[in-house]
Amino acid sequence: MTARPVFEEDGTTHVPAFDLPASAFSSPQAQAAQAYRAKMAGAAPVTAGRDIAEVRAGLEVMLAPQVAGVLAAFPVDVVDETIAGVPVKIFTPKDKPFDQERVLINLHGGAFTMGWPSCAMLESPPVAVLGGYKVVSVNYRMAPEHKHPAGAEDVAAVYAELLKTYDASRIVIYGGSAGGALTGQMGAWLPAHGLPQAAALGIFGAGAVRFNSGDSAYIAGYIDGSFAPPPPPGEKPVDITNGYFSGHDMKDTSISPALHPEVMAKYPPTLIITGTRAMDMSPAIVTNSALLKAGVRSTLIVGEAMGHCYYYNFQLPESQDAYQAMIGFFRENLA
């Protein structure tokens, strides 16, 4: 007889061990990718306490083949510049015309501590080429050298400078993982600091609420393994952001705006992308619900059997669908 879960009165559920087969609804390519997962060591390594230069360099080496694949599939011109004192990379389609009147701001992933420029190189070229857009990826300040709200301040500075050339209705902000969370925070930050709201937001692999919370943090921790599940009660959780939010209330409007209805009411149309096996699914769902309750247009895409920022693997049909959804949503909401 199959073991069944045991429920405690305090809401705790004791889940029996089980085998999770590949989803019948996932693509053959996604199922084949499990062969690579079988060779992986498990959850992402803990970076707290390690030399940050070593951690960052290691990620760049690990993602180099993936970046090379993206650049081969989506040829772009990349220019390094500084906008409002903040380093950026500007991506435009190579040898192809692109929209001169609109601009997209990309906020790269990397747990608020790494990911530059590798994650920017994964997130920006597909959108630039498929949409025919200029994408400005921001090298915002990160931990452990800096703390919140350093990243938000940098993004706001770049945004304010771009407003001198582009109307706010022609600017979209999007990002993945930490960059997705930062994008969610910008929806609250801009109006709170006297800046006009962007035309739309793209929150991918994240939500406008703190990470490592909700059902998905546990579920993904045991069935996906990219991130370890939260520790048992009484044990201190590992801070994957290397202290980026230390000293701040994680329920604050600038960190978890989805917990504040009056803040969410000021958001622009928002596209949210997560996966059924992603640790960010709960934050994504909570954010989508908060936006809908606030009367703001929100579109939530949940990739079946997909993990954290699955669209980084651009070859998957699920990822290609996600990119088409991004382009369609941005195009529909840009003036």
Side-chain angles (χ1 to χ4, degrees):
M1 182 177 178
T2 302
R4 299 181 62 84
V6 177
F7 302 95
E8 302 287 355
E9 291 184 359
D10 65 357
T12 300
T13 303
H14 301 283
V15 182
F18 68 101
D19 294 326
L20 179 66
S23 171
F25 299 114
S26 61
S27 68
Q29 294 91 328
Q31 294 181 26
Q34 289 298 318
Y36 294 96
R37 294 297 306 276
K39 301 175 183 178
M40 295 173 63
V46 175
T47 61
R50 294 176 56 196
D51 179 75
I52 191 59
E54 177 186 341
V55 170
R56 289 170 178 164
L59 181 67
E60 296 304 302
V61 171
M62 183 181 76
L63 293 180
Q66 201 167 340
V67 169
V70 167
L71 294 177
F74 304 99
V76 287
D77 291 316
V78 186
V79 177
D80 290 297
E81 288 192 12
T82 299
I83 298 178
V86 180
V88 302
K89 285 185 181 293
I90 299 179
F91 297 81
T92 52
K94 183 180 288 293
D95 301 325
K96 290 176 58 178
F98 60 91
D99 193 328
Q100 300 287 334
E101 299 181 351
R102 296 163 183 82
V103 66
L104 275 54
I105 299 175
N106 166 250
L107 309 181
H108 69 87
F112 289 99
T113 190
M114 54 187 166
W116 181 266
S118 57
C119 289
M121 303 295 280
L122 292 175
E123 298 176 24
S124 298
V127 175
V129 172
L130 293 173
Y133 290 121
K134 175 180 178 179
V135 178
V136 177
S137 190
V138 182
N139 185 11
Y140 55 87
R141 286 172 292 167
M142 300 181 287
E145 299 92 342
H146 305 282
K147 295 182 179 181
H148 174 78
E153 291 171 344
D154 287 348
V155 177
V158 171
Y159 180 78
E161 188 64 26
L162 289 174
L163 284 173
K164 297 177 181 179
T165 304
Y166 304 91
D167 188 82
S169 65
R170 296 189 171 186
I171 303 176
V172 161
I173 304 175
Y174 79 97
S177 194
L182 184 54
T183 296
Q185 292 165 15
M186 295 314 297
W189 187 272
L190 298 181
H193 292 79
L195 291 169
Q197 193 59 272
L201 300 179
I203 302 176
F204 311 141
V209 68
R210 59 191 182 278
F211 270 126
N212 210 36
S213 299
D215 285 354
S216 64
Y218 292 88
I219 295 170
Y222 290 109
I223 68 174
D224 179 76
S226 297
F227 297 87
E235 291 187 18
K236 186 178 180 180
V238 174
D239 181 8
I240 63 173
T241 72
N242 271 295
Y244 181 76
F245 294 106
S246 62
H248 292 276
D249 181 356
M250 294 304 289
K251 296 181 180 179
D252 187 80
T253 56
S254 68
I255 299 174
S256 295
L259 302 179
H260 304 273
E262 72 282 2
V263 174
M264 299 306 284
K266 300 177 182 178
Y267 271 57
T270 301
L271 174 65
I272 305 170
I273 298 179
T274 185
T276 62
R277 301 188 183 187
M279 61 90 171
D280 48 83
M281 183 173 65
S282 288
I285 291 171
V286 168
T287 302
N288 177 67
S289 296
L291 287 167
L292 294 177
K293 289 179 183 178
V296 177
R297 181 188 172 188
S298 178
T299 298
L300 173 64
I301 295 175
V302 184
E304 169 64 13
M306 296 293 104
H308 182 62
C309 288
Y310 65 90
Y311 60 91
Y312 276 16
N313 185 353
F314 72 93
Q315 296 172 319
L316 297 181
E318 291 88 349
S319 300
Q320 294 165 21
D321 289 344
Y323 278 119
Q324 290 301 322
M326 293 178 197
I327 298 305
F329 189 87
F330 297 161
R331 187 164 290 148
E332 180 179 349
N333 289 287
L334 283 163

